[in-house]
């Protein structure tokens, strides 16, 4: 008679173990099932399209008629021998350097000013960061009017007696104009106008990042440096800047990513420009693919842009993962 309750207890215990095992399996696979749709979408619409673009870049599809016959590196060889693409690479180098340097310099200056516990601090923060609320297209159109040689800023310069006003984005001058391949290597003067517009929009973002970094630096470090006899300049370069290194690295990665793939601001403000002095790979890719119907060459430009961005992003991600480990 006592065996019946014993068998019931064993069965109940076994059922409990089964339920617990099923619960653990559900806990393990439920999160995966939740993110599976997103993973599938990323696999198809990001990595799948990247793979397709790479495949098209190796094809001979350069007309309206679809032709996916293998062409090897023919499209890439054409680009690196092309005057316009060489000019684009030159413009990208100078634009990236000027854009990052000016944005970071203005950003840290504004952050230092706002960090002085000034009155109406929130007002100035909003004013400086407001341009980020605008699209690059709007920024391009506004600055196109402001830097037009016949209107905008030049009217003010003429009013105060400056006769030789800048030509801004219509200039074709290149400084110092060193022959290299099919192009003159140097800074296209017209590109400065594009840099000004881009810096105006992104410097508020740099200010916000640097301001967050400054607020994370203990005031005790600065006071200790002052007690040791350090001046404000020494405190800035020896105490503050080293503490802001993580912010600076992140900012360089983000700004370089923006500069390497910029399209809409340049397209709205100047377009390729005379002799392609303001052209960038993004504009060239758009016109090659959707206006010239050279899909293989357009895909090759896209892959080169991806590789340029990857040269910055992958080392940063690798270093971040190593640091976490």
């Amino acid at each position: 008679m006592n065996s019946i309750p014993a068998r019931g207890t064993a069965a109940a215990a076994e059922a409990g173990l089964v339920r617990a095992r099923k619960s653990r399996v559900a806990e393990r696979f439920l999160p995966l099932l939740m993110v599976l749709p997103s993973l599938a979408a990323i696999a198809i619409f990001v990595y799948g399209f990247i793979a397709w673009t790479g495949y098209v870049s190796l094809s001979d599809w350069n007309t309206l008629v679809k032709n996916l016959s293998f062409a090897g590196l023919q499209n890439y060889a054409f680009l690196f021998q092309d005057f316009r693409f060489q000019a684009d690479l030159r413009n990208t180098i100078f634009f990236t350097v000027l854009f990052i340097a000016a944005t970071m310099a203005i950003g840290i200056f504004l952050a230092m000013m706002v960090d002085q516990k000034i009155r109406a601090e929130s007002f100035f923060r909003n004013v400086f960061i407001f341009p980020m609320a605008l699209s690059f297209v709007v920024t391009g159109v506004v600055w196109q009017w402001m830097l037009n040689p016949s209107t905008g800023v030049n009217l003010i310069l003429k009013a105060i007696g400056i006769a030789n006003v800048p030509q801004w984005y219509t200039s074709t001058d290149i400084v110092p104009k060193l022959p290299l391949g099919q192009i003159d290597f140097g800074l296209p003067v017209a590109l400065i106008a594009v840099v000004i517009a881009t810096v105006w929009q992104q410097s508020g973002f740099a200010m916000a990042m640097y301001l967050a970094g400054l607020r994370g630096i203990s005031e005790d470090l600065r006071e200790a440096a002052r007690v040791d006899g350090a001046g404000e300049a020494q405190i800035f370069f020896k105490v503050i800047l080293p503490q802001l290194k993580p912010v600076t690295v992140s900012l360089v990665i983000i700004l370089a990513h923006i500069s390497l793939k910029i399209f809409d601001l340049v397209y709205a403000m100047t377009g390729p420009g005379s002799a392609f002095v303001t052209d960038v790979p993004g504009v060239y890719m758009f016109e090659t693919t959707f206006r010239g119907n050279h899909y293989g060459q357009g895909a090759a430009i896209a892959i080169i842009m991806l590789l340029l961005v990857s040269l910055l992003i992958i080392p940063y991600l690798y270093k971040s993962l190593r640091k976490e480990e």
Side-chain angles (χ1 to χ4, degrees), residues 1-2 47 74 147 157 189 205 250 274 318:
M1 294 178 61
N2 294 331
Y47 297 104
Q74 173 182 312
L147 298 181
L157 297 178
V189 175
F205 170 68
S250 299
S274 300
Y318 176 76

Side-chain angles (χ1 to χ4, degrees), residues 146-168:
M146 290 182 62
L147 298 181
N148 187 299
S150 303
T151 58
V153 173
N154 280 1
L155 293 179
I156 300 175
L157 297 178
K158 290 178 181 178
I160 61 178
I162 299 177
N164 296 323
V165 293
Q167 294 302 302
W168 299 111

Side-chain angles (χ1 to χ4, degrees), residues 106-116 206-208 210-211 214:
I106 294 175
I108 197 169
F109 173 76
L110 295 177
M112 293 288 290
M113 295 298 101
V114 174
D115 193 47
Q116 302 302 313
M207 178 215 67
Y210 275 126
L211 184 60
L214 289 171

Side-chain angles (χ1 to χ4, degrees), residues 115-295:
D115 193 47
Q116 302 302 313
K117 306 297 188 296
I118 59 176
R119 291 184 178 180
E121 175 186 324
S122 60
F123 169 77
F124 286 105
R125 283 204 312 265
N126 293 332
V127 168
F128 295 144
I129 207 169
F130 171 75
M132 282 197 66
L134 304 177
S135 71
F136 272 131
V137 173
V138 174
T139 300
V141 172
V142 170
W143 281 93
Q144 180 193 48
W145 175 82
M146 290 182 62
L147 298 181
N148 187 299
S150 303
T151 58
V153 173
N154 280 1
L155 293 179
I156 300 175
L157 297 178
K158 290 178 181 178
I160 61 178
I162 299 177
N164 296 323
V165 293
Q167 294 302 302
W168 299 111
Y169 55 81
T170 63
S171 173
T172 57
D173 294 335
I174 297 176
V175 181
K177 203 170 186 178
L178 304 173
L180 180 64
Q182 299 185 46
I183 63 170
D184 292 320
F185 188 80
L187 171 63
V189 175
L191 203 61
I192 296 176
V194 182
V195 172
I196 291 173
T198 317
V199 169
W200 175 80
Q201 182 160 17
Q202 295 298 320
S203 57
F205 170 68
M207 178 215 67
M209 290 194 65
Y210 275 126
L211 184 60
L214 289 171
R215 295 290 165 84
I217 300 176
S218 173
E219 187 63 31
D220 294 339
L221 291 176
R222 309 184 199 192
E223 290 299 330
R226 292 189 182 99
V227 171
D228 290 339
E232 293 302 319
Q234 290 177 311
I235 293 174
F236 176 76
F237 288 105
K238 299 294 185 181
V239 177
I240 295 177
L241 274 186
Q243 296 291 321
L244 294 176
K245 184 179 178 181
V247 176
T248 301
V249 172
S250 299
L251 196 57
V252 168
I253 296 296
I254 295 171
L255 295 179
H257 176 262
I258 292 173
S259 68
L260 291 175
K261 68 181 186 64
I262 192 167
F263 163 76
D264 35 9
L265 185 144
V266 176
Y267 192 79
M269 183 175 178
T270 66
S274 300
F276 305 116
V277 289
T278 58
D279 198 33
V280 290
V283 175
Y284 189 17
M285 180 190 68
F286 172 79
E287 294 188 347
T288 298
T289 306
F290 300 107
R291 289 188 175 179
N293 300 316
H294 299 290
Y295 297 99

Side-chain angles (χ1 to χ4, degrees), residues 6-7 82 139 193 200 323:
R7 285 197 300 270
D82 181 42
T139 300
W200 175 80
K323 187 179 295 185

